[in-house]
Amino acid sequence: MQDEARAILRQFEQGEPIVSEDGRRTAAAWDHGSPTAVIAHAYGLWVHEMAAARPGGGDRLEEVVRGLFPDSDGNRFAGTADDAVLLTRGLLGDFDAGAEADAKGLGTLYNLAALLHAAVLRSQLSGPDLEELLARAEAEYAGTLASGERARAQVRDGHVGPWDVTEVENSAVEGGQIDLGALRVPVVPGIEIRPEGIDAQGQGEDAHGVTLRVGGSHLQLQLFSAPEGGLWDWSLGELAAKVAARGGEVQEVTGQLGTEIRSTIPVGESGSASVAVRFVGCDGPGWMLRGVLTGPGADSDILQEQVR
């Protein structure tokens, strides 16, 4: 991929047409290793390192990106400096900025090549320096794919959910929804709901989640306020440590809902028996939703459709 990415940059330097390898916007190339992904990741590495090297104070990322536009004519990027900042924030993990950049059609291979080309000129990178940057980008992106980190972004791109109410134009769902206040749960045939922290008479002030019995499994959902950047990645380590402290076995895997933890936890006084427990989670705008699954769906590679 590194050699293909370098060839694309040469095409750009020579003014030849630049088209994404699959003819679609860059977003289509994020779930596999591709020259587009290598170019984007190389540019992201450059921006991150340049921003980190600047003195503290101010928006260092924005300063670095705007530094690629030294005059009113800008560079060959097909947009404004504001657009370049927006796209860069999206590339570096800002979900809202990424969605806005995608809606504006900024995430093209041409634009990514333009930004990396401008970065090369700005830093006066030699040929070997650029080769090293592309090689590092390819290796790191391959590691990202292997770790499952990209799966989290795929969950948040509107194909799977869960969604924030601000992310959908129409909150109606086929079959209807059950409104639980902070949570709206799609109606699934045979679903049973048990609030956590509230008794059958509706008494109690410690409502901290809801357990859904569906498809023979129990899924406990809890919603947490989360800072920018999210909590799920941090929670993975915290959950794994708690399971291990109870003598359980832990495996971190990439599932249909992104990075998750599958575990077996000893139960009973003797601890001779064990139960499968599966932890899934998702970061959203200002929140993290965590699911704890027990029952038949907890130890299967494929989630039951009703549970998913």
Side-chain angles (χ1 to χ4, degrees):
M1 295 301 172
Q2 171 194 346
D3 292 340
E4 295 175 62
R6 186 68 184 94
I8 289 171
L9 290 174
R10 289 195 189 96
Q11 285 180 260
F12 181 86
E13 292 166 2
Q14 296 167 8
E16 298 178 15
I18 301 294
V19 180
S20 179
E21 60 269 17
D22 55 12
R24 293 176 289 171
R25 285 210 297 262
T26 303
W30 289 156
D31 60 351
H32 61 282
S34 68
T36 301
V38 171
I39 290 172
H41 199 67
Y43 169 69
L45 285 174
W46 180 86
V47 170
H48 178 78
E49 291 170 1
M50 291 291 290
R54 285 176 173 260
D59 190 332
R60 292 180 290 179
L61 182 149
E62 183 168 344
E63 291 173 5
V64 169
V65 178
R66 290 189 181 281
L68 299 176
F69 294 78
D71 52 52
S72 59
D73 294 329
N75 55 31
R76 292 167 63 187
F77 179 80
T80 65
D82 287 341
D83 290 333
V85 171
L86 184 70
L87 177 57
T88 303
R89 292 194 187 284
L91 291 172
L92 295 180
D94 184 326
F95 175 77
D96 292 332
E100 186 176 349
D102 188 56
K104 296 179 73 172
L106 298 175
T108 62
L109 179 56
Y110 176 91
N111 272 345
L112 292 171
L115 289 174
L116 183 54
H117 177 67
V120 169
L121 295 179
R122 179 74 174 80
S123 293
Q124 297 183 331
L125 293 180
S126 65
D129 289 337
L130 177 58
E131 296 291 344
E132 188 274 335
L133 178 63
L134 290 172
R136 189 152 51 96
E138 181 176 6
E140 290 196 13
Y141 197 78
T144 297
L145 289 175
S147 71
E149 291 178 28
R150 286 304 314 174
R152 177 56 49 219
Q154 291 164 10
V155 171
R156 303 294 301 129
D157 70 1
H159 294 306
V160 179
W163 300 281
D164 188 80
V165 67
T166 63
E167 296 176 316
V168 287
E169 294 181 3
N170 185 352
S171 60
V173 173
E174 184 178 354
Q177 291 178 315
I178 302 169
D179 190 342
L180 302 173
L183 290 173
R184 295 180 184 176
V185 180
V187 175
V188 175
I191 192 172
E192 297 178 12
I193 299 177
R194 185 183 73 235
E196 299 292 340
I198 299 179
D199 61 25
Q201 286 71 46
Q203 303 298 312
E205 300 179 355
D206 187 28
H208 57 265
V210 60
T211 294
L212 312 176
R213 187 178 186 278
V214 55
S217 299
H218 289 84
L219 176 64
Q220 184 190 69
L221 297 175
Q222 290 182 286
L223 189 64
F224 302 85
S225 177
E228 183 177 352
L231 282 176
W232 180 239
D233 286 344
W234 175 85
S235 296
L236 287 168
E238 187 79 0
L239 289 168
K242 289 182 177 179
V243 171
R246 294 181 57 182
E249 297 181 1
V250 178
Q251 182 184 20
E252 188 173 305
V253 300
T254 301
Q256 292 166 287
L257 300 180
T259 308
E260 61 185 55
I261 287 179
R262 298 183 196 176
S263 64
T264 54
I265 300 177
V267 294
E269 294 183 5
S270 65
S272 58
S274 63
V275 60
V277 182
R278 186 170 181 167
F279 300 90
V280 295
C282 181
D283 290 315
W287 49 260
M288 178 189 80
L289 181 64
R290 186 181 74 190
V292 182
L293 180 65
T294 56
D299 56 2
S300 170
D301 286 339
I302 304 299
L303 274 178
Q304 297 163 287
E305 179 63 21
Q306 289 173 302
V307 174
R308 189 198 65 76

